[in-house]
């Protein structure tokens, strides 16, 4: 057994089966979760759990680590430790893009609101079902189509409508946010590549030359859905501590029919 296996076994042993809805009339011969129960909760095979705990398996993927962390209800610090044991320690000069379990839990409780998670260069990493229903499912989109900066300045999402004032504010805020990110991660190749690409856009270049620095925190936009029509939304951006991820929560604008339309799509 290696350190990764020992940690997984200890976390499995401490897990209360009742906390995840597992109850049995007969006495349990093991403390915590059985291997098969953890496997079912994480969506992997019991044999693979056994190999991981015994140190006989290859390093698990980041996705498997995240699934195990969610199943074991690890804290953010414990999940970060799991990632380090599996070889996924984030370099200090690279933008984080692994979503902690605690953030997944928050998203799971916001199923009546469109929610998405972006990294520090506004690359879409995760979204809930209602976000996909409102704006179109990003699952099949190319990488460029998942970056909010590229979409805003180069292509535009046909399901999003902004007034001239809303667009001007949004673009100024995004570029100022990218300027702040470039200072925090001066050696990240993704930051350099995005700035180099955007240098061919006149609107971006004008705003970049202003050298404004700020965190993008909010915006107003109207989603245009083919079935329910216009959905006026307020976007609020919450930046997570230590991971620099951006949780974007889109709430219905007051005194509009947006709430009713979101409920229909939900």
């Amino acid at each position: 057994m290696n350190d990764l296996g020992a940690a997984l076994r200890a976390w499995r042993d401490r897990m209360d089966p009742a906390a995840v809805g597992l109850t049995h009339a007969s006495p349990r011969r093991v403390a915590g979760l059985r291997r098969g129960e953890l496997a079912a909760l994480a969506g992997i095979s019991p044999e693979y759990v056994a190999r991981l705990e015994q140190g006989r398996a290859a390093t698990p993927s980041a996705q498997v680590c995240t699934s195990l962390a969610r199943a074991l209800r690890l804290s953010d610090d414990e999940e970060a430790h799991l990632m380090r044991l599996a070889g996924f320690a984030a370099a200090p000069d690279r933008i984080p893009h692994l979503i902690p379990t605690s953030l997944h839990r928050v998203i799971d409780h916001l199923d009546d609101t469109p929610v998405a998670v972006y990294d520090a260069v506004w690359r879409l990493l995760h979204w809930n079902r209602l976000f996909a229903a409102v704006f179109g499912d990003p699952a099949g989109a190319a990488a460029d189509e998942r970056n909010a900066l590229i979409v805003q300045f180069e292509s535009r999402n046909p399901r999003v409508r902004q007034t001239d004032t809303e667009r001007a504010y949004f673009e100024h805020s995004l570029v100022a946010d990218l300027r702040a990110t470039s200072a925090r991660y001066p050696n990240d190749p993704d930051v350099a590549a995005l700035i180099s690409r955007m240098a061919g856009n006149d609107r971006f270049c004008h705003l970049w030359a202003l050298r404004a620095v700020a965190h993008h925190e909010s915006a107003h936009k109207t989603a245009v859905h083919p079935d329910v029509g216009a959905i006026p939304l307020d976007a609020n951006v919450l930046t997570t501590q230590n991971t620099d991820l951006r949780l974007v929560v889109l709430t219905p604008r007051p005194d509009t029919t947006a709430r009713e339309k979101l409920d229909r799509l939900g």
Side-chain angles (χ1 to χ4, degrees):
M1 183 183 296
N2 55 18
D3 288 343
L4 174 62
L8 288 174
R9 177 61 189 267
W11 289 328
R12 179 167 65 83
D13 286 348
R14 79 175 185 191
M15 189 71 188
D16 181 4
V20 291
L22 297 173
T23 57
H24 298 271
S26 58
R28 299 175 66 90
R29 293 184 298 173
V30 296
L33 294 178
R34 299 185 177 101
R35 281 176 178 162
E37 292 168 340
L38 173 58
L41 290 170
I44 58 180
S45 71
E47 292 78 11
Y48 188 49
V49 172
R51 294 203 307 273
L52 285 173
E53 289 187 354
Q54 295 164 5
R56 297 186 293 107
T59 301
S61 68
Q63 182 178 0
V64 167
C65 289
T66 298
S67 296
L68 287 167
R70 296 188 74 181
L72 291 164
R73 299 197 174 185
L74 302 185
S75 68
D76 285 354
D77 288 340
E78 288 169 338
E79 184 175 7
H81 182 62
L82 171 61
M83 289 295 184
R84 284 192 291 270
L85 291 177
F88 296 106
D93 58 349
R94 296 293 186 268
I95 289 176
H97 60 271
L98 294 174
I99 302 174
T101 299
S102 60
L103 192 54
H104 277 290
R105 293 189 190 121
V106 170
I107 296 169
D108 288 344
H109 288 282
L110 295 174
D111 56 357
D112 64 342
T113 303
V115 178
V117 181
Y118 295 80
D119 67 12
V121 288
W122 290 97
R123 181 170 38 202
L124 179 61
L125 303 177
H126 183 70
W127 57 91
N128 68 357
R129 186 183 59 80
L130 192 53
F131 181 92
V134 172
F135 296 103
D137 192 351
D144 289 354
E145 296 171 338
R146 292 192 189 184
N147 185 286
L149 276 152
I150 293 174
V151 171
Q152 181 67 25
F153 284 94
E154 293 187 3
S155 59
R156 304 281 189 87
N157 186 338
R159 287 201 181 186
V160 175
R161 186 173 69 209
Q162 295 172 304
T163 66
D164 290 343
T165 299
E166 289 170 347
R167 189 190 76 171
Y169 168 79
F170 183 58
E171 292 183 354
H172 183 278
S173 184
L174 276 183
V175 173
D177 189 280
L178 181 61
R179 174 71 75 177
T181 295
S182 70
R184 288 196 302 277
Y185 304 98
N187 299 316
D188 191 296
D190 290 342
V191 176
L194 179 61
I195 294 171
S196 176
R197 170 172 179 154
M198 299 304 297
N201 184 280
D202 290 342
R203 294 202 319 277
F204 176 88
C205 287
H206 168 72
L207 294 170
W208 189 252
L210 298 177
R211 294 190 170 273
V213 179
H215 293 290
H216 178 56
E217 297 179 346
S218 64
H220 304 291
K221 61 183 65 180
T222 299
V224 183
H225 193 275
D227 296 328
V228 302
I231 311 173
L233 298 168
D234 293 327
N236 296 287
V237 182
L238 309 175
T239 302
T240 60
Q241 187 176 14
N242 298 327
T243 65
D244 219 2
L245 298 174
R246 286 83 192 283
L247 177 67
V248 179
V249 182
L250 295 130
T251 55
R253 201 170 302 172
D255 303 319
T256 71
T257 59
R259 179 70 270 165
E260 175 190 345
K261 292 177 178 179
L262 289 177
D263 291 341
R264 286 172 60 188
L265 292 175

